[in-house]
Amino acid sequence: KAGVTQTPRYLIKTRGQQVTLSCSPISGHRSVSWYQQTPGQGLQFLFEYFSETQRNKGNFPGRFSGRQFSNSRSEMNVSTLELGDSALYLCASSRDGTATYNEQFFGPGTRLTVL
Amino acid sequence: DQQVKQNSPSLSVQEGRISILNCDYTNSMFDYFLWYKKYPAEGPTFLISISSIKDKNEDGRFTVFLNKSAKHLSLHIVPSQPGDSAVYFCAASGSGTGGFKTIFGAGTRLFVKA
């Protein structure tokens, strides 16, 4: 069974631009969560999608948005990029209905650098 | 507001000895706890979990202890091996007025010296 895949793996953008990251969960998994990892901050929760609906949202500004498609693939968009958005963005899928109480399976991440 | 804290950014242990990684949480709504391991250039992978109805869960060399009254959990690795060198994240799950949540700590980097 293929794992969680994320594209692209690396991305370099400049301030003010926007970016879209993609995540394909494990086949059969319907819950997809997104996290931002920065040094010293751990994994900061962005949002969780289940059956194309945003189920849960973290404390990030509205510049961060996401969506999920009918095949459970998910995209994350960041508009008007800031230097502080430079981070590793991780996507995780869960077998059951929610990322809470369940083991999450993570992709390798997309390393975003904002210049 | 860090609801899940891993106060040691790094830990160095000799091969064969015990590694103890600690995690504290502040919110009583958390009732399920997980540990993940992360190698460079890879996503975190699930290691072990514990429900709040237990105080210990063991899986091979890995044991997680939960002290609910102290809101503290720890991961013990015995014996430690060089391949265990990685970043370990503690995560706490629960539901409350804000909905379902899983919150991760900042991570502890473990170095196991051969």
Side-chain angles (χ1 to χ4, degrees):
Chain A
K1 208 177 209 184
V4 177
T5 57
Q6 291 187 246
T7 57
R9 291 294 309 275
Y10 302 91
L11 207 47
I12 299 175
K13 292 284 188 179
T14 56
R15 276 182 298 174
Q17 287 187 307
Q18 68 100 28
V19 67
T20 299
L21 311 181
S22 181
C23 171
S24 292
I26 290 172
S27 178
H29 288 194
R30 293 194 292 165
S31 168
V32 174
S33 297
W34 288 89
Y35 295 87
Q36 181 195 65
Q37 186 190 0
T38 53
Q41 292 295 315
L43 277 68
Q44 303 289 310
F45 173 72
L46 281 152
F47 26 66
E48 179 191 0
Y49 285 87
F50 178 76
S51 292
E52 302 178 65
T53 301
Q54 187 178 90
R55 174 186 290 271
N56 212 347
K57 190 176 187 302
N59 298 322
F60 277 80
R63 300 185 297 108
F64 292 82
S65 63
R67 60 177 175 167
Q68 187 180 33
F69 302 95
S70 58
N71 61 358
S72 294
R73 190 177 70 85
S74 177
E75 286 183 348
M76 189 193 101
N77 186 275
V78 188
S79 62
T80 320
L81 284 166
E82 300 176 1
L83 294 179
D85 297 334
S86 295
L88 180 68
Y89 289 88
L90 291 159
C91 164
S93 70
S94 299
R95 188 178 294 119
D96 295 317
T98 173
T100 308
Y101 299 117
N102 286 299
E103 171 190 351
Q104 295 183 68
F105 296 81
F106 284 84
T110 293
R111 171 73 62 185
L112 172 64
T113 302
V114 182
L115 302 175
Chain B
D1 173 28
Q2 281 188 293
Q3 298 186 57
V4 179
K5 295 180 184 179
Q6 294 178 256
N7 291 318
S8 298
S10 65
L11 175 68
S12 186
V13 170
Q14 198 67 38
E15 180 181 8
R17 306 295 289 268
I18 183 171
S19 295
I20 300 176
L21 295 97
N22 294 302
C23 178
D24 297 293
Y25 61 97
T26 57
N27 197 325
S28 298
M29 81 167 198
F30 294 132
D31 54 5
Y32 190 69
F33 305 89
L34 310 94
W35 285 93
Y36 286 82
K37 179 167 75 171
K38 185 181 186 299
Y39 292 118
E42 295 181 12
T45 54
F46 170 75
L47 198 54
I48 192 169
S49 62
I50 187 167
S51 162
S52 61
I53 63 173
K54 293 185 168 184
D55 55 17
K56 176 183 173 181
N57 189 26
E58 194 171 349
D59 184 1
R61 297 186 297 114
F62 302 91
T63 303
V64 56
F65 295 92
L66 175 63
N67 182 332
K68 282 180 294 185
S69 60
K71 294 190 175 68
H72 176 84
L73 63 155
S74 60
L75 174 69
H76 292 210
I77 306 173
V78 183
S80 302
Q81 299 173 354
D84 296 329
S85 297
V87 177
Y88 289 79
F89 291 99
C90 160
S93 271
S95 61
T97 52
F100 295 104
K101 280 188 181 182
T102 296
I103 306 293
F104 283 79
T108 296
R109 185 176 297 277
L110 174 66
F111 299 94
V112 180
K113 297 175 286 186

